Amino acid sequence: SRLIVAAAAQMGPIARSDTRKTVVERLVGLLGEAASRGAELVVFPELTLTTFFPRWHMTDPAEIDAFYETEMPGGETRPLFEAAKRLKIGFYLGYAELVVENGVQRRFNTSILIDRDGEFVGKYRKIHLPGWDTPQPDMASQHLEKYYFEPGNLGFNVFKTMGTRIGMAICNDRRWPETYRVMALKGSEMILVGYNTPDDHTGNFDFDSLTQFHNQLSIQAGAYQNSNWVVATAKAGREEGSNLIGQSMIVAPSGQIVAMATSTDDEVVAARCDLDMAALYRKTIFDFARHREPDQYRLIVET
Ligand code: CDT
């Protein structure tokens, strides 16, 4: 079997006043713990480096820009890259990206993948942006990702690295079947996801009380229906008055949860992932070439 030890490095809350330096020290600590459990690949959350700022409506450009990275690694994030290289651990890191492309300033909710030698493998920019582009007066808590980011423009790519084929997604993407299916069709065996999920995100209690169930349901279904390992990592806990769910988990291509966090704080969960398990499901019930009927799916891609 082809094996990889993967870990989800869940983070507890990050205060608005926390510095990048403090956060990166926590990340390095989590890497060390993952290394002691034999991890070769560590998944950090969405927007790992700061508090989940889309909960606030800010208008001062300097205040907004402070939450974004203009280079990766930058001076403050470099210690994480150095530690990972020293420990020979690959990692996924989510962050807010501010770039100038063709003279235009652009903002994305981004993740990158770094291999065990510290080499850059690939970048993903979040495609499904939930919430609103203007503050909602009737909602107790805001979710303004459409105000702070534009939809990702890099597609759902799959990267051949670390002895497998890895795809990336970010938070709300995990609820959409197309996310997993596009990467599975491109041959992914493992999908990495970071998330920040408040337990009151719809404002409807019937719905919100099922937030943890829907998290598991989405990830387990995505893994099983697409024969992929999924490593999903939360930023969790009570952050600036908002309760973020935990449940960071590693799910097998069978849909079984093989490891799950039990806290809503900094916590590492790890599992030995048999990559050939993805091939087993792909050769049987989900042999795409034999069983899919794409002619019947055309409506899915009509707008
Ligand atoms: N970060 C993120 O995408 N969170 C959403 C919840 C908020 S929807 C208004 C999620 O899908 O978990």
Side-chain angles (χ1 to χ4, degrees):
S1 291
R2 293 177 302 125
L3 300 172
I4 186 168
V5 179
Q10 178 173 286
M11 295 200 68
I14 299 177
R16 186 166 182 168
S17 58
D18 285 348
T19 61
R20 297 281 199 290
K21 186 172 180 294
T22 325
V23 173
V24 169
E25 281 167 9
R26 276 168 70 185
L27 300 179
V28 171
L30 289 165
L31 265 187
E33 191 179 336
S36 72
R37 307 230 216 127
E40 301 163 276
L41 172 63
V42 169
V43 179
F44 291 113
E46 172 193 35
L47 301 174
T48 306
L49 299 167
T50 67
T51 197
F52 188 72
F53 64 90
R55 70 170 67 91
W56 295 299
H57 182 229
M58 298 176 279
T59 52
D60 174 2
E63 194 182 7
I64 295 172
D65 287 357
F67 289 98
Y68 291 76
E69 312 301 314
T70 52
E71 50 177 356
M72 186 57 66
E76 289 158 319
T77 43
R78 200 172 303 281
L80 171 67
F81 286 69
E82 289 168 354
K85 188 172 175 179
R86 196 172 55 246
L87 295 166
K88 286 210 73 69
I89 295 182
F91 67 96
Y92 161 115
L93 180 75
Y95 63 96
E97 180 189 16
L98 176 57
V99 279
V100 178
E101 285 178 354
N102 301 322
V104 180
Q105 200 180 63
R106 310 186 71 172
R107 295 166 193 274
F108 297 102
N109 187 339
T110 295
S111 62
I112 46 165
L113 183 61
I114 305 294
D115 74 11
R116 300 183 69 197
D117 298 318
E119 297 296 325
F120 172 84
V121 174
K123 179 181 279 189
Y124 170 70
R125 289 171 172 162
K126 185 176 183 178
I127 287 174
H128 298 100
L129 295 176
W132 305 89
D133 62 2
T134 51
Q136 299 302 294
D138 299 336
M139 290 195 71
S141 52
Q142 300 296 324
H143 196 105
L144 297 168
E145 284 197 56
K146 289 185 194 293
Y147 173 71
Y148 288 112
F149 305 111
E150 59 181 294
N153 59 355
L154 301 176
F156 290 112
N157 290 315
V158 173
F159 303 97
K160 202 163 184 288
T161 180
M162 293 177 259
T164 181
R165 291 182 300 275
I166 296 180
M168 291 187 276
I170 300 179
C171 196
N172 191 261
D173 288 323
R174 76 194 187 287
R175 302 183 193 274
W176 298 90
E178 295 85 354
T179 298
Y180 305 87
R181 181 52 56 95
V182 169
M183 290 188 276
L185 286 169
K186 292 181 179 179
S188 64
E189 293 180 318
M190 182 173 267
I191 292 174
L192 316 180
V193 191
Y195 61 95
N196 283 260
T197 299
D199 71 353
D200 62 348
H201 62 277
T202 69
N204 175 313
F205 186 64
D206 282 353
F207 188 139
D208 287 343
S209 58
L210 298 172
T211 300
Q212 302 206 27
F213 168 64
H214 289 153
N215 183 47
Q216 290 189 41
L217 183 67
S218 303
I219 296 170
Q220 289 183 268
Y224 168 63
Q225 292 174 342
N226 297 285
S227 315
N228 263 253
W229 285 90
V230 179
V231 183
T233 306
K235 174 133 70 53
R238 188 159 181 78
E239 187 182 86
E240 299 290 358
S242 168
N243 291 317
L244 302 171
I245 65 164
Q247 292 190 317
S248 296
M249 66 183 98
I250 300 174
V251 179
S254 58
Q256 291 167 292
I257 296 174
V258 295
M260 186 190 263
T262 53
S263 77
T264 52
D265 215 330
D266 288 14
E267 180 179 346
V268 174
V269 295
R272 200 183 64 150
C273 305
D274 178 356
L275 296 163
D276 288 335
M277 204 173 164
L280 170 67
Y281 281 77
R282 199 66 70 75
K283 270 189 245 145
T284 53
I285 191 98
F286 292 119
D287 182 340
F288 286 169
R290 270 192 334 117
H291 303 308
R292 286 180 75 250
E293 296 291 350
D295 277 349
Q296 304 302 325
Y297 309 154
R298 303 271 171 233
L299 186 63
I300 289 175
V301 289
E302 283 173 16
T303 49

